[in-house]
Amino acid sequence: MRLILLPAFDGTGAMFEPFVAELGDAFEALPIAYSERGPQDYDSLARNILDEISGDQPYIVLGESFAGPLAYRLATGDPDRCRAAIFVATYLINPSPTVLKVLGALPARAVSWFVSRPWVIRKIALSRQADGAVARAIAANFGSVAPRAIRRRLRTIGSLGDLPERSVAVPCLCIQATNDKLVPASRLADFRSLCPDLEVHQVAGGHFVIQEAPRECARIVKRKFS
């Protein structure tokens, strides 16, 4: 089965490498990279992703952080192919309105500088136990992305309004980080309300839990779907 991996707001797909390595040959993993050009709103990105995975082959979609609303759109909008959805440390409505409002108002280069500092990543997006190499790798990855694309994607998160109404008909898995400082634990209720067939697992780590604990996240996904 294909496993479509939708990344955080870096949009590169590169941060999935340790997770993919832990999956082994359980899935045909396909990390998606978002184009830095063109619209960065969720509807436009979802259309681009569907164009990229054209064909009739079924798949499971995994959305990390920024990509939760994208995974939701594929799960509800591509019922003939999407067989399951995995939501990792993510949300369906704006998780941090004040923070995103401030970041969205800053110059693009200032935002890029902020999110590409290892100490910032470690402070707000990882647990205290995280390996320093993980923070450095994540920061370097964000530093490789065009500043304007980063800011536009942050504004896309900030534009999320009310909870969508359409239920997800396919089986869903939610991986929630135990020390997520960016997405309130209360947002899990949104997935419970829209995903009748939902399994929830908590994994020790910060917001970038799939990078901090790739082996545990891979174990959960393989046990559920392989």
Side-chain angles (χ1 to χ4, degrees):
M1 178 73 75
R2 280 193 302 175
L3 178 60
I4 307 300
L5 302 172
L6 306 182
F9 70 91
D10 65 296
T12 66
M15 296 202 303
F16 285 123
E17 289 180 4
F19 173 70
V20 170
E22 293 292 345
L23 289 174
D25 59 359
F27 301 95
E28 179 190 346
L30 178 61
I32 298 294
Y34 313 139
S35 174
E36 294 182 358
R37 299 182 177 182
Q40 300 296 314
D41 62 279
Y42 282 121
D43 288 339
S44 296
L45 290 173
R47 286 193 292 270
N48 292 342
I49 293 164
L50 287 170
D51 287 343
E52 187 168 346
I53 59 173
S54 59
D56 58 4
Q57 187 178 351
Y59 63 84
I60 297 169
V61 63
L62 182 152
E64 176 192 14
S65 185
F66 171 85
L70 289 173
Y72 169 83
R73 280 164 170 76
L74 267 63
T76 56
D78 193 17
D80 292 336
R81 295 188 300 163
C82 186
R83 302 298 169 83
I86 304 168
F87 300 98
V88 181
T90 189
Y91 44 81
L92 294 174
I93 66 173
N94 187 341
S96 304
T98 301
V99 173
L100 288 163
K101 184 176 182 180
V102 171
L103 288 176
L106 292 174
R109 291 192 178 277
V111 176
S112 177
W113 181 91
F114 183 75
V115 300
S116 61
R117 302 302 98 183
W119 65 267
V120 172
I121 296 298
R122 191 172 187 86
K123 182 72 173 178
I124 68 173
L126 296 173
S127 71
R128 291 183 179 181
Q129 291 73 38
D131 191 320
V134 175
R136 292 190 293 273
I138 293 173
N141 186 62
F142 277 113
S144 72
V145 181
R148 292 184 66 181
I150 288 178
R151 187 176 66 173
R152 291 172 73 184
R153 290 170 190 157
L154 285 171
R155 288 178 172 176
T156 291
I157 302 172
S159 71
L160 286 170
D162 296 333
L163 190 68
E165 297 181 356
R166 189 173 181 181
S167 294
V168 182
V170 299
C172 295
L173 172 66
C174 185
I175 296 177
Q176 187 179 43
T178 59
N179 190 30
D180 196 331
K181 300 173 185 176
L182 298 178
V183 179
S186 59
R187 295 273 63 89
L188 180 60
D190 301 335
F191 293 99
R192 292 194 186 280
S193 69
L194 292 174
C195 305
D197 184 357
L198 177 68
E199 183 175 317
V200 178
H201 288 267
Q202 291 191 332
V203 175
H207 180 67
F208 288 124
V209 69
I210 204 168
Q211 288 76 36
E212 189 172 340
R215 179 171 297 176
E216 177 63 9
C217 291
R219 184 190 67 81
I220 292 169
V221 170
K222 286 191 290 186
R223 188 173 66 180
K224 175 69 174 177
F225 294 116
S226 65

